[in-house]
């Protein structure tokens, strides 16, 4: 099973600042099949990034994904008020599919 | 745009079977992967399994012996059954459509509580 470790657990930032979220895999993620989701309270997760760096339809370009192999990053270039949420990384290359533990981005 | 809506009992007794029906609208179930992901209150996400439109299934080994996902193409629905439940199975259960194995579209989630 591929274990995904996200860091930091919580990120305290102000609107307008840059957010950098990390996801490290216990083994290489095949084809870089790594996705990022945003989840707000009481809502289902929303797909932001897939294939490590491809933005999903309708996702603003302030969100970007990078990385390959075992190290992946989600960057939010300038935080908007609606971006304060929990973010999960997810590998869909190898069964069982697994998720990271999440990074909470909170208002400082 | 495809929409998924889960339905089923919100309360299940320990040792019984959890049943969730996912109804698909805005698209045919006769393509794509269909499956379930759950989230215990205040915790992270756990993939349960998928069924392909052809009927083949793949499950999380941690639940493999207890889980069944099936399709009803005549009703554009798929269903989850999880047997021998315990309090650890209390969670919000999401119906999802997979683009390949990527969970692309999600339902709103259904809270299922296991309690006597």
């Amino acid at each position: 099973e591929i274990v995904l470790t996200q860091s930091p657990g919580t990120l305290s930032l102000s609107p307008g600042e840059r957010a950098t979220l990390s996801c490290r895999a216990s083994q290489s993620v095949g084809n870089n099949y790594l996705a990022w989701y945003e989840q707000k309270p009481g809502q289902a997760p929303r797909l932001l990034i897939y294939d490590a760096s491809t933005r999903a339809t309708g996702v603003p370009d302030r969100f970007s994904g990078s990385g390959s192999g075992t190290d992946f990053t989600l960057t939010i270039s300038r935080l908007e008020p609606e971006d304060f949420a929990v973010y999960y990384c997810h590998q869909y290359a190898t069964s069982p599919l697994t998720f990271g533990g999440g990074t909470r981005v909170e208002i400082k | 745009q495809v929409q998924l809506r889960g339905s089923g009992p919100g309360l299940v007794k320990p040792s019984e079977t959890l049943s969730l029906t996912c109804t698909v609208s805005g698209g045919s179930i006769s393509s794509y992967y269909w499956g379930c992901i759950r989230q215990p209150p205040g915790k992270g996400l756990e993939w349960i399994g998928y069924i392909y439109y052809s009927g083949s299934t793949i499950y999380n080994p941690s639940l493999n012996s207890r889980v069944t996902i099936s399709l009803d193409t005549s009703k554009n629905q798929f269903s989850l059954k999880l047997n021998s439940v315990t309090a650890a199975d209390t969670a919000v259960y999401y119906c999802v459509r997979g683009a390949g194995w990527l969970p692309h579209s999600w339902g709103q989630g259904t809270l299922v509580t296991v309690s006597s």
Side-chain angles (χ1 to χ4, degrees):
Chain A
E1 171 175 325
I2 296 179
V3 176
L4 299 177
T5 301
Q6 291 189 242
S7 61
T10 302
L11 203 49
S12 298
L13 294 168
S14 301
E17 290 194 294
R18 181 184 187 90
T20 304
L21 287 66
S22 174
C23 177
R24 178 162 290 177
S26 60
Q27 56 189 277
S28 185
V29 177
N31 297 308
N32 293 323
Y33 281 171
L34 192 287
W36 290 92
Y37 294 86
E38 170 191 80
Q39 188 177 33
K40 297 178 182 177
Q43 296 185 17
R46 169 198 175 203
L47 178 65
L48 297 175
I49 302 286
Y50 62 95
D51 294 353
S53 61
T54 303
R55 270 190 301 275
T57 302
V59 174
D61 61 8
R62 64 181 180 273
F63 291 91
S64 63
S66 62
S68 64
T70 61
D71 288 293
F72 300 90
T73 300
L74 174 70
T75 302
I76 311 171
S77 59
R78 287 179 55 87
L79 282 165
E80 297 287 341
E82 62 267 28
D83 299 335
F84 292 92
V86 178
Y87 293 84
Y88 292 97
C89 61
H90 168 61
Q91 69 81 19
Y92 50 100
T94 304
S95 179
L97 311 190
T98 51
F99 291 87
T103 291
R104 179 180 303 278
V105 179
E106 65 176 25
I107 299 177
K108 187 174 182 180
Chain B
Q1 172 144 338
V2 70
Q3 292 190 319
L4 301 98
R5 181 174 56 83
S7 60
L11 182 64
V12 181
K13 290 182 168 53
S15 80
E16 296 190 344
T17 297
L18 180 158
S19 296
L20 179 73
T21 298
C22 301
T23 301
V24 178
S25 58
S28 173
I29 204 169
S30 297
S31 57
Y32 296 102
Y33 283 87
W34 304 94
C36 296
I37 290 167
R38 71 180 182 177
Q39 185 172 36
K43 296 187 178 180
L45 298 158
E46 181 181 30
W47 172 73
I48 296 172
Y50 275 132
I51 186 165
Y52 194 41
Y53 74 95
S54 63
S56 63
T57 53
I58 183 166
Y59 300 132
N60 191 323
S62 69
L63 300 168
N64 193 51
S65 61
R66 298 196 291 132
V67 66
T68 303
I69 299 176
S70 58
L71 278 176
D72 186 338
T73 55
S74 68
K75 295 181 179 178
N76 232 35
Q77 293 176 335
F78 61 100
S79 297
L80 166 72
K81 290 192 184 302
L82 183 67
N83 58 36
S84 305
V85 297
T86 70
D89 295 309
T90 294
V92 174
Y93 285 76
Y94 293 100
C95 308
V96 299
R97 184 181 83 172
W101 282 358
L102 170 70
H104 188 277
S105 304
W106 298 59
Q108 85 284 4
T110 301
L111 175 62
V112 180
T113 301
V114 178
S115 175
S116 54

